[in-house]
Structures are given as structure tokens and as C-alpha cells.
Amino acid sequence: MKVSDKNIAVFGAVFGDESKARVTNYFSKSYRYTVRFGGSSNAGCTFYYKGKKVVRHLIPAADFSIIENKAFLGSGMVINPDELLSEIKETIDTYSDSSLKVGERIIIDPDAFVIKQEYLEEDKNNIKSFGSTGKGVSVAYRDKIYRKGTKILDLIKDSDPVILKLKELGVQFKFAHELYDDFIKSSILYQGVQAVMLDINAGTYPYVTSGDCTAGGIFNSGFGFAMPSKIYGVAKCYSSRVGEGPFPTELFGNEAEHLRKIGAEFGATTGRPRRVGWLVLPMLKYAIKRASITDLVLTKLDVLESYGEIKLCTRYSNLDRDPASGSDFFNVIPEYKSFNSWDSRESIDDYLKYIEDYIGINISYFTYGLSDKDFMART
Ligand code: IMP
């Protein structure tokens, strides 16, 4: 892969679980820092390392086998310290080679907020009503905004046992601003969390997460001096959603079960079966404009290989304008365009070209399988 952009970002474009971590991991080989600017362990980030499945929730999907690569957990995050400790141990184990010193290459901004144990109990109420992951995320963000939150910095000051254990593993605690010179010299890959339609501002409120899922979060975490020149949105060639909220093209019954099974659509964080349906172009176009996405990566095309008819929702019959807000996606009736099965690269190209013309940006990459060779550049 050739990289000409010094700083780039990767965001989920629709409802998340779009293989953003795989895309991030692929790009991270060429970037010195992989930075998470928001979210928490509600995110389930799956990719493969040496053929083995890796699932991360808090630690960015950086490729630590490259000794120069580092990961930074930014101040927009809310972090459960126990989960952080066990995930860092797991991440160190993934690479098994102690000379790689993985722990020392994980840096945490002390301005990030803490998920306290009691938040988990309180968040249980949101599991039913919003489909929350129950990880305490909304409660932590609420207390942060209500100015009653606890920062990682407070745990450091109190010599909290978890912080001491993290330090023993080599983990560093540094404010983004302390690394300013290094960030300016290096290249940065920002890994978004969840997706635009789950963003607290842009999404289908109240069926959203509580943090930033767009470039606003990069700026707010202190990285305004290193904003990305390219923002990749990642979407699947179909859609899935975990939790409640509008999903205009949702499939049900056998059709849903089949797609869920062949797409392996079960939550990486909760194991819940994901709701599945066709890709919604009016929503994708809205998300692209709303989050200033410059390039699309379309994933999992191989999943629809056996389909005789592939559908795209191209408009809503009860909305005769472009959607302008997350609130425009409630109670809409989808209309579809059908494509023949993908029997050649040409038929895939026709499908990709149709989407590009609709959304107004390039599909720079698409994926057709799990290995790096199935990660295909289009230009
Ligand atoms: P919470 O942020 O855990 O409260 O979850 C809020 C909503 O976002 C719920 O519908 C979750 O299922 C959804 N959500 C949270 N994290 C993810 C993710 O990583 N992928 C997809 N959906 C997510």
C-alpha cells in the first residue's frame, strides 16, 4: 500500500460492525501512531493476526509487530480500568515476543475518563430501552458532562493498584499535548468507533452511543493540529445493526437468519445476533456528507456471492428530499434497485460504479474475503 497522506481517519459509515478494525489494522502498517479519540469497550474491533482472530475493545487496532508503531488512547475515551488491564495483557500475549515491548508502545491520555464499577449496574436499565451494550458508557459520559466524572489522572494521583500494574507492563501515561512534537513529525491514523449513524450528534438519536463517531472527536481530543486529510468511511455491502433504533431495510425470518449466518453477524462485544438488511444509499450519502467522509471502503462483498439478486435501497417512497438529519430515518419506506448476481469482476464494478455515482465519492477499496490479498484497491 502506498501512503501519501500523513494523517488519515477511518470511520464506520452506517451502523458499525463494518470491518473498520480490519481496515485500520491494514492501514496501520504504514502509520506510526494509531489513535482512538473516543468511545469505549462497547466497541468490538475484530481483525486477524497470523491467521488468528484478534478482538480488541479499547486498544486501537495497530499492528504492534512493527516495532515503530504505537497506539494512543485519547482523552475523549471513557475507560474501565479493569477491562483496560486485561486487554493490554491480552495484546502483549498476542505478539508473544517480549523484545517487541508492546506495553511500552501503548500510551494513555490521563484526561480520559473512568468507567466506575457502579456505572455498570446503572447502565443495565439501558440494555432493554436502547439496546445499550451495558458497559457503563452512557453513564460515564453523563457524569463527565455533569462535571462529576473521574479522570485517569485522578487514579494516577491516588496510585490506584490498576495504574501501578499498567505501569509495570510498561504502559505510558501522557497528555496528547506532551507528544505534540512527535505527533507533528509522525504519521497518524485515527480509528473511529461505532459509526456515523450511532454518533451522538449525527445519528438516529436517542438510539445512538454517547460519544463522538466523527472527526469532531479528533479535534476535541486535542488533535486539531493534526487533522486527517483523508477520511475513509467503511460500509458493508449490506447493513447490520445491534440494539434498538430505525433500520428501514431490515430483513426478518429466514432471509435474516441466512444473511446473519453467512455474514457471521453476531456482536463481538455482547455476542448478540445483529439485525441485518440491505444497504441504504440515502443513509450512506447522508453519513458521508455529515461526517465529511472523502473515500469509501466497501467490505464483505464475498458474503453476497451466492445471491441471485442483490438489492440497494435508493430512495424512500414517503420522503421526497434527501435526508438531512438522523431524525429523517424514522418510519421511512424503502424502495430498491436490484442487481444481478456477481459472476464477474465486471458485474462487481457496475455495482460499485452505481454506488459511487449515487454517493458522489470514490470507493477506493473493497474487500472480497479475509486475507490482505482480498483487500483490493480500485485505482
Ligand atoms: P452503548 O454506547 O453501549 O450504550 O450502546 C448504544 C448503542 O450503540 C446500542 O444500540 C449498541 O448496540 C450500539 N453500539 C455500541 N457499540 C457498538 C459497536 O461497536 N458496533 C455496533 N453498535 C454498537
Side-chain angles (χ1 to χ4, degrees):
M1 177 202 171
K2 270 201 194 130
V3 176
S4 50
D5 292 276
K6 189 172 158 320
N7 305 318
I8 64 168
V10 175
F11 294 151
V14 188
F15 296 129
D17 306 312
E18 290 140 333
S19 309
K20 183 170 61 253
R22 180 211 177 161
V23 174
T24 303
N25 184 252
Y26 179 83
F27 286 158
S28 78
K29 299 174 203 313
S30 311
Y31 284 84
R32 289 296 71 89
Y33 278 95
T34 305
V35 171
R36 274 274 301 265
F37 56 84
S40 186
S41 55
N42 52 354
C45 307
T46 308
F47 58 93
Y48 287 81
Y49 175 66
K50 291 190 172 167
K52 248 178 78 187
K53 188 174 174 177
V54 178
V55 183
R56 290 192 195 147
H57 301 278
L58 289 164
I59 314 293
D63 185 340
F64 289 106
S65 69
I66 299 168
I67 194 82
E68 294 88 2
N69 286 0
K70 296 178 185 174
F72 188 82
L73 282 73
S75 60
M77 293 184 72
V78 292
I79 297 173
N80 179 327
D82 293 331
E83 286 183 343
L84 179 67
L85 179 61
S86 64
E87 197 176 318
I88 288 183
K89 283 183 182 161
E90 251 175 57
T91 306
I92 293 170
D93 288 348
T94 301
Y95 295 91
S96 61
D97 175 355
S98 61
S99 71
L100 285 174
K101 298 190 177 7
V102 172
E104 290 171 32
R105 292 189 277 134
I106 298 174
I107 310 162
I108 298 163
D109 193 320
D111 269 338
F113 279 77
V114 172
I115 295 186
K116 299 180 197 166
Q117 280 312 308
E118 64 256 33
Y119 293 169
L120 303 182
E121 197 50 40
E122 199 176 335
D123 202 22
K124 275 188 186 155
N125 300 325
N126 293 327
I127 297 178
K128 264 218 169 109
S129 47
F130 293 113
S132 163
T133 56
K135 294 274 182 183
V137 176
S138 58
V139 192
Y141 279 117
R142 180 202 64 193
D143 272 10
K144 170 180 174 175
I145 300 303
Y146 199 50
R147 291 167 282 165
K148 289 196 169 168
T150 298
K151 290 186 175 190
I152 294 286
L153 179 62
D154 300 312
L155 301 189
I156 297 171
K157 282 183 187 156
D158 292 346
S159 301
D160 185 277
V162 176
I163 299 290
L164 298 181
K165 282 185 195 149
L166 289 168
K167 283 185 174 170
E168 275 167 27
L169 294 172
V171 173
Q172 301 186 53
F173 294 89
K174 286 197 161 107
F175 298 105
H177 206 74
E178 284 179 87
L179 292 169
Y180 184 95
D181 290 343
D182 202 27
F183 285 138
I184 289 279
K185 273 190 278 169
S186 308
S187 51
I188 307 176
L189 164 59
Y190 298 98
Q191 178 183 356
V193 274
Q194 285 92 39
V196 179
M197 298 313 300
L198 293 176
D199 177 77
I200 184 76
N201 296 302
T204 53
Y205 190 90
Y207 302 104
V208 292
T209 188
S210 303
D212 285 311
C213 308
T214 72
I218 300 175
F219 199 98
N220 289 341
S221 300
F223 284 90
F225 60 89
M227 291 303 279
S229 53
K230 239 183 199 160
I231 298 180
Y232 288 93
V234 186
K236 281 191 285 225
C237 58
Y238 56 96
S239 294
S240 67
R241 179 165 200 160
V242 206
E244 301 305 311
F247 188 171
T249 57
E250 183 167 9
L251 295 170
F252 299 94
N254 290 344
E255 270 191 299
E257 246 168 62
H258 178 68
L259 182 52
R260 187 177 301 122
K261 195 167 158 212
I262 57 173
E265 296 296 347
F266 297 88
T269 301
T270 59
R272 286 182 288 184
R274 295 178 185 143
R275 299 159 66 195
V276 291
W278 295 110
L279 180 60
V280 183
L281 290 186
M283 189 180 270
L284 183 60
K285 189 173 174 182
Y286 161 80
I288 284 167
K289 283 186 167 169
R290 182 69 174 78
S292 308
I293 290 169
T294 60
D295 292 71
L296 194 73
V297 182
L298 198 69
T299 60
K300 297 184 86 163
L301 267 74
D302 53 306
V303 171
L304 298 185
E305 191 173 55
S306 61
Y307 278 63
E309 182 192 22
I310 292 151
K311 289 188 186 179
L312 285 174
C313 165
T314 54
R315 68 181 295 270
Y316 299 126
S317 58
N318 56 345
L319 188 74
D320 58 3
R321 58 173 173 80
D322 278 349
S325 145
S327 61
D328 276 338
F329 298 98
F330 289 71
N331 304 316
V332 281
I333 304 166
E335 279 185 6
Y336 295 96
K337 176 174 170 58
S338 291
F339 290 78
N340 290 335
S341 61
W342 294 330
D343 46 14
S344 62
R345 174 70 196 249
E346 215 172 47
S347 54
I348 293 177
D349 276 338
D350 286 348
Y351 169 85
L352 297 176
K353 180 84 178 55
Y354 181 88
I355 297 177
E356 278 181 332
D357 288 346
Y358 191 106
I359 60 180
I361 61 168
N362 287 337
I363 300 177
S364 304
Y365 297 88
F366 69 95
T367 70
Y368 204 100
L370 281 180
S371 73
D372 276 359
K373 76 172 175 19
D374 302 316
F375 198 111
M376 303 196 212
R378 288 199 68 235
T379 42

